[in-house]
Amino acid sequence: MARTAGSHSDVTGPRVRAAALRLFAKSGYAAVSMRSIAAEVGVQVGALYNYTPDKQSLLFDLMRSHLEDLLERAGPGEGEAAERLAGFVSFHIRYHHDRQDAVFIAYMELRNLSEENFQVIEGLRRRYEDLLEEILAAGVAEGRFDIADTRIATRAVIAMLTGVSTWFRESGRLTLEDVETQYRKMVLNAVRV
Amino acid sequence: MARTAGSHSDVTGPRVRAAALRLFAKSGYAAVSMRSIAAEVGVQVGALYNYTPDKQSLLFDLMRSHLEDLLERAGPGEGEAAERLAGFVSFHIRYHHDRQDAVFIAYMELRNLSEENFQVIEGLRRRYEDLLEEILAAGVAEGRFDIADTRIATRAVIAMLTGVSTWFRESGRLTLEDVETQYRKMVLNAVRV
DNA sequence: GTCTATACGATGATAGAC
DNA sequence: GTCTATCATCGTATAGAC
């Protein structure tokens, strides 16, 4: 099972993706060159093109796999709407905290997607919003939530939650659990009758 | 008072800024070239450098003047904290709706500022956050708001409000006033005892 | 103040040797 | 699969004529 010297298909691929993720998050897609990605991986530019047809595909694949993973892990939750909503808040904050780079890219680099790729990503994001909207609608049906327009409330909640990753630092004054607790309370109060 | 032919200092300057604003908002700072700004204005590249020492200063000046204008217009409000908070919500949504390009840049292009310029912009942004935090603290002092940490609540509210400009469209299902009304209610509920 | 011309390095992507 | 070399293009910024 000897492998040709210098052949590292199975290990270099993930490393290319990881390097691109890190660099795109740090400096922005447009500001990152294929050369800088290669340098981060420790190969020459040409080698990158064994793993991606071009830079655009690299961005698109990172966004898509992030959103697909997000959708896979975000279950509908169980119990009454209030419990499910509290669960969603905690899930969103924790998941986004654990993958700051991917989250940042998925929200900031939309305009660098080609029109076709943008549509795919928007569809996935929309499906994630639908998960939350369904919870809010269930709460309204239960008579426990008072929401004029569930679509607006959905977006308001997601914007609020996603904002956490722009300022939260592990080294700060508060633990992530403190933050979760306060956000759960604010979100529940915002929609409850 | 005849002016030298081809001399348009007073009109070209603002046009350069306006073009940069529009293009930075549309495509992102890193993706916009000085050539494309010049083309938008209708001059050659070299002419731009009569109005800005470099591209970085163009970005910085746009951000700074936006935030200074924002601070100037956002007054402390009058009356009880609940009224002042409702006023802040409406002000923020309307102001940000009227200047979508500037808002977008001020939130998205922070990482493209030099370290020195970043500090200045962060200071201005922080002063704006302080305006809201003061209102929340007043509400707590009145015994009308129940907030575990006013700094967190401040950031949560601002993230929620700023999110409006990412999805609101004049042509949509709802008027801006509908949106304002619902956000006022959600925000007040989120912090009220 | 604006133009043309240009310096000079960086860019994404490819070809062909190993 | 990776390397080196190369292409054609574009990037910011400047110099000097008008």
Side-chain angles (χ1 to χ4, degrees):
Chain A
M1 295 293 273
R3 189 183 297 277
T4 306
S7 179
H8 305 287
S9 165
D10 48 350
V11 58
T12 307
R15 283 183 17 102
V16 169
R17 291 167 50 86
L21 184 73
R22 225 183 63 76
L23 292 174
F24 288 166
K26 194 180 76 173
S27 311
Y29 174 78
V32 172
S33 67
M34 292 300 273
R35 280 171 171 76
S36 67
I37 296 172
E40 180 92 352
V41 175
V43 297
Q44 294 301 314
V45 207
L48 295 182
Y49 291 87
N50 290 315
Y51 302 100
T52 181
D54 50 32
K55 193 183 167 191
Q56 165 76 200
S57 303
L58 208 41
L59 176 64
F60 175 61
D61 289 343
L62 288 173
M63 283 188 169
R64 191 184 48 192
S65 58
H66 162 65
L67 287 171
E68 283 173 348
D69 184 64
L70 176 68
L71 279 167
E72 204 170 302
R73 288 166 193 268
E78 285 178 19
E80 297 188 344
E83 292 174 72
R84 293 172 64 201
L85 180 53
F88 183 92
V89 169
S90 287
F91 165 78
H92 187 100
I93 289 177
R94 288 210 169 267
Y95 186 90
H96 283 56
H97 173 255
D98 293 343
R99 327 219 161 188
Q100 291 190 38
D101 285 352
V103 168
F104 198 64
I105 290 172
Y107 280 84
M108 299 279 281
E109 302 295 354
L110 287 168
R111 61 182 165 194
N112 285 308
L113 289 172
S114 68
E115 178 57 30
E116 191 188 346
N117 288 344
F118 177 77
Q119 294 302 333
V120 175
I121 297 299
E122 268 302 291
L124 291 170
R125 178 192 312 285
R126 173 66 191 242
R127 280 177 51 200
Y128 183 66
E129 287 185 9
D130 288 346
L131 292 178
L132 174 56
E133 188 170 10
E134 197 276 315
I135 293 173
L136 297 180
V140 171
E142 284 173 11
R144 303 299 252 290
F145 292 172
D146 175 23
I147 300 170
D149 186 295
T150 53
R151 196 82 213 149
I152 288 188
T154 297
R155 284 163 169 160
V157 169
I158 287 182
M160 186 168 147
L161 298 180
T162 303
V164 171
S165 47
T166 65
W167 57 262
F168 180 78
R169 294 295 167 263
E170 210 84 62
S171 58
R173 189 163 49 89
L174 301 156
T175 67
L176 192 59
E177 199 165 327
D178 295 334
V179 175
E180 260 180 82
T181 303
Q182 187 166 343
Y183 270 78
R184 272 203 300 265
K185 188 175 157 194
M186 286 190 291
V187 169
L188 283 168
N189 282 344
V191 301
R192 203 132 54 172
V193 294
Chain B
M1 296 294 273
R3 190 183 297 275
T4 307
S7 179
H8 305 289
S9 166
D10 48 351
V11 57
T12 307
R15 284 184 16 103
V16 169
R17 291 167 50 87
L21 184 73
R22 225 183 63 78
L23 292 173
F24 288 166
K26 194 179 77 175
S27 312
Y29 174 79
V32 172
S33 67
M34 293 299 272
R35 285 190 216 298
S36 66
I37 296 173
E40 180 92 353
V41 174
V43 296
Q44 295 301 313
V45 207
L48 294 183
Y49 292 86
N50 291 315
Y51 304 100
T52 181
D54 51 33
K55 193 183 167 192
Q56 165 75 201
S57 303
L58 208 41
L59 175 64
F60 176 60
D61 289 343
L62 289 172
M63 284 187 170
R64 192 185 46 191
S65 57
H66 162 64
L67 287 171
E68 283 172 348
D69 184 63
L70 175 68
L71 279 166
E72 204 171 302
R73 288 167 192 268
E78 285 178 17
E80 297 189 343
E83 292 174 72
R84 293 172 63 202
L85 180 53
F88 184 92
V89 169
S90 287
F91 166 77
H92 187 100
I93 289 176
R94 288 210 170 268
Y95 186 90
H96 283 56
H97 174 256
D98 292 342
R99 329 220 162 187
Q100 291 191 39
D101 285 352
V103 168
F104 199 63
I105 290 172
Y107 280 84
M108 300 278 280
E109 302 295 356
L110 286 169
R111 61 181 165 196
N112 285 308
L113 289 173
S114 67
E115 177 57 28
E116 190 187 346
N117 289 344
F118 176 77
Q119 294 302 333
V120 175
I121 297 300
E122 269 303 291
L124 291 170
R125 179 194 309 287
R126 174 64 191 243
R127 280 177 51 199
Y128 183 66
E129 287 184 10
D130 288 346
L131 291 179
L132 174 56
E133 188 171 9
E134 197 275 316
I135 294 173
L136 297 180
V140 172
E142 284 174 13
R144 301 300 252 292
F145 291 172
D146 175 23
I147 300 170
D149 186 294
T150 53
R151 196 84 213 148
I152 289 188
T154 297
R155 282 161 170 162
V157 169
I158 287 183
M160 187 167 147
L161 299 181
T162 303
V164 171
S165 49
T166 65
W167 56 262
F168 181 79
R169 294 293 167 265
E170 209 83 63
S171 57
R173 189 162 50 87
L174 301 156
T175 66
L176 192 60
E177 199 165 328
D178 295 334
V179 175
E180 259 182 83
T181 303
Q182 188 167 343
Y183 270 78
R184 272 203 300 265
K185 188 175 157 194
M186 286 190 291
V187 169
L188 283 167
N189 282 345
V191 302
R192 201 133 52 174
V193 294

